[in-house]
Amino acid sequence: MSDNPHTPKPSRNRLLLPILLPIGLLAGMAVLMILFAQILLNTSTEAATIVALVVATAVLVVGGIAASRGKLGIAGLGSMLGVVAGVAMITGAIALAVSPPGEHGGEQGGEPGKEPFVASIAAPPGASVNGFEPDKLTFAADVPIELEFDNQEQGVVHNVEIFDSEDDASGPLLFSGAQITGPVKADYQIDPLREGTYFFNCVVHPTTMTGQVRVEKDASTGGTLAQSVVAQNLEFDTDQLDLTPETESTVTLDNRDPGIPHNIAIYVDDSLSEILFQGETFPGPAVEEYVIPGLPEGQYFFQCDVHPTMAGQVVVAPAGPGGSGGDAGGGGSGANETGSDEGG
């Protein structure tokens, strides 16, 4: 009987296991984290918070059990991870069923599929001291809001934050826009807000850059709607004003031409035969706020009386899919949507 002189060698599986196991665990955790993140992003804020708390509690409980057992084998570790993953997936599925995508504003009364209210606001040169333009905004209630923020101040950081209070930042923070360095624009997506008055500011300049936003049940038919027009280099920054029928509107004229007078006047047509509104003429640099009375539905003509080449059209139409302002867009946004076009 002959003896086998060879001793058993470790199998290839035993050599690869210490390498493949952690890689596999990390890959599995990465997939779970991606899926979990997608669940949180596609549920309402409240639902996402509840899901995160439930999963965090599961992690703490599972971690406590693992610590009490001392040495934990591969099978035990896999079981623990499976429990956490199961809790995350089950809780996430319930959250998606209760609060499906497209209802992020549901807790504030938003309606799925409703067109957003579009508005804009600017931080002009010198905004760090002089503030926003305009410093009063009007939004429609219970619909998503698309706010275009135009930071025109060279090399200065600004943003827009909205608080659930009327006159200061003492209330809960409802929205905080990304901080941007001018000159640059940012498009802010704001969840629906309930009817009421809110305070907004710039987080970098919280005392000088402040304002109020009024959220109205039907901004297309009630309240004072606001928009801004810039006059610079003998040109308006827009060739169209969008107003809501029979609704008083506020148009802020920012005259940036030093020593040169401008105004905004509205006529029935370009024959100038009948004047509907004539704003006060003033030299720049200065800002003047015009309150325009409600006008009947239709199209009109506006110009600077001192420089008639600075002109455009006034569209007075109801908000909605067929109107110029979009659903609940109202007069507060129309001119700002075309603000990047050179008028004249």
Side-chain angles (χ1 to χ4, degrees):
M1 182 177 181
S2 61
D3 294 332
N4 186 0
H6 300 287
T7 58
K9 295 182 179 180
S11 67
R12 180 176 298 179
N13 290 338
R14 289 185 180 181
L15 291 174
L16 292 177
L17 187 61
I19 300 174
L20 295 178
L21 181 60
I23 293 176
L25 289 174
L26 288 174
M29 291 174 64
V31 171
L32 289 174
M33 289 176 66
I34 293 172
L35 294 175
F36 188 56
Q38 291 300 313
I39 291 173
L40 296 182
L41 290 172
N42 284 279
T43 58
S44 68
T45 302
E46 290 184 356
T49 302
I50 294 173
V51 171
L53 288 174
V54 170
V55 174
T57 302
V59 170
L60 290 175
V61 171
V62 170
I65 295 174
S68 65
R69 290 186 176 183
K71 187 177 180 180
L72 192 66
I74 295 176
L77 180 60
S79 299
M80 298 294 182
L81 292 177
V83 170
V84 174
V87 171
M89 294 300 104
I90 293 173
T91 310
I94 295 173
L96 286 173
V98 174
S99 179
E103 295 187 357
H104 293 73
E107 65 270 22
Q108 296 196 40
E111 298 180 15
K114 199 159 188 179
E115 291 295 321
F117 183 95
V118 181
S120 66
I121 188 172
S128 303
V129 176
N130 300 321
F132 291 107
E133 288 183 10
D135 60 2
K136 289 181 173 59
L137 297 170
T138 300
F139 296 159
D142 303 329
V143 296
I145 300 146
E146 292 183 359
L147 180 64
E148 181 190 72
F149 176 45
D150 184 6
N151 182 359
Q152 302 169 1
E153 192 165 16
Q154 180 74 38
V156 181
V157 179
H158 296 304
N159 82 328
V160 177
E161 290 192 326
I162 300 176
F163 298 86
D164 192 7
S165 54
E166 292 190 11
D167 301 314
D168 53 40
S170 60
L173 178 64
L174 300 178
F175 171 79
S176 180
Q179 299 178 32
I180 57 176
T181 303
V184 70
K185 293 182 180 180
D187 292 321
Y188 293 150
Q189 308 296 319
I190 304 174
D191 284 341
L193 297 172
R194 294 192 182 96
E195 188 175 4
T197 302
Y198 301 85
F199 175 83
F200 68 87
N201 69 7
C202 167
V203 68
V204 186
H205 307 90
T207 59
T208 56
M209 298 182 66
T210 63
Q212 279 188 334
V213 54
R214 291 194 306 178
V215 179
E216 300 176 351
K217 194 64 179 177
D218 188 353
S220 65
T221 58
T224 300
L225 305 178
Q227 54 190 299
S228 180
V229 178
V230 175
Q232 190 171 26
N233 298 324
L234 300 181
E235 291 184 332
F236 287 131
D237 70 339
T238 180
D239 59 4
Q240 180 170 314
L241 299 177
D242 292 292
L243 306 179
T244 303
E246 310 298 344
T247 300
E248 186 180 81
S249 304
T250 299
V251 175
T252 300
L253 176 59
D254 179 8
N255 183 355
R256 299 182 186 174
D257 287 332
I260 300 177
H262 294 305
N263 81 328
I264 291 177
I266 300 176
Y267 297 86
V268 171
D269 53 42
D270 57 8
S271 69
L272 310 183
S273 59
E274 183 181 348
I275 187 168
L276 301 176
F277 170 82
Q278 189 170 42
E280 179 183 355
T281 302
F282 63 97
V287 177
E288 190 74 28
E289 189 175 86
Y290 298 139
V291 178
I292 301 175
L295 299 174
E297 184 174 349
Q299 292 192 7
Y300 306 95
F301 177 79
F302 81 93
Q303 70 169 24
C304 168
D305 287 330
V306 185
H307 307 92
T309 57
M310 300 172 62
Q313 68 172 347
V314 179
V315 178
V316 182
S324 63
D327 191 32
S333 62
N336 291 328
E337 290 181 72
T338 58
S340 60
D341 297 329
E342 292 298 334

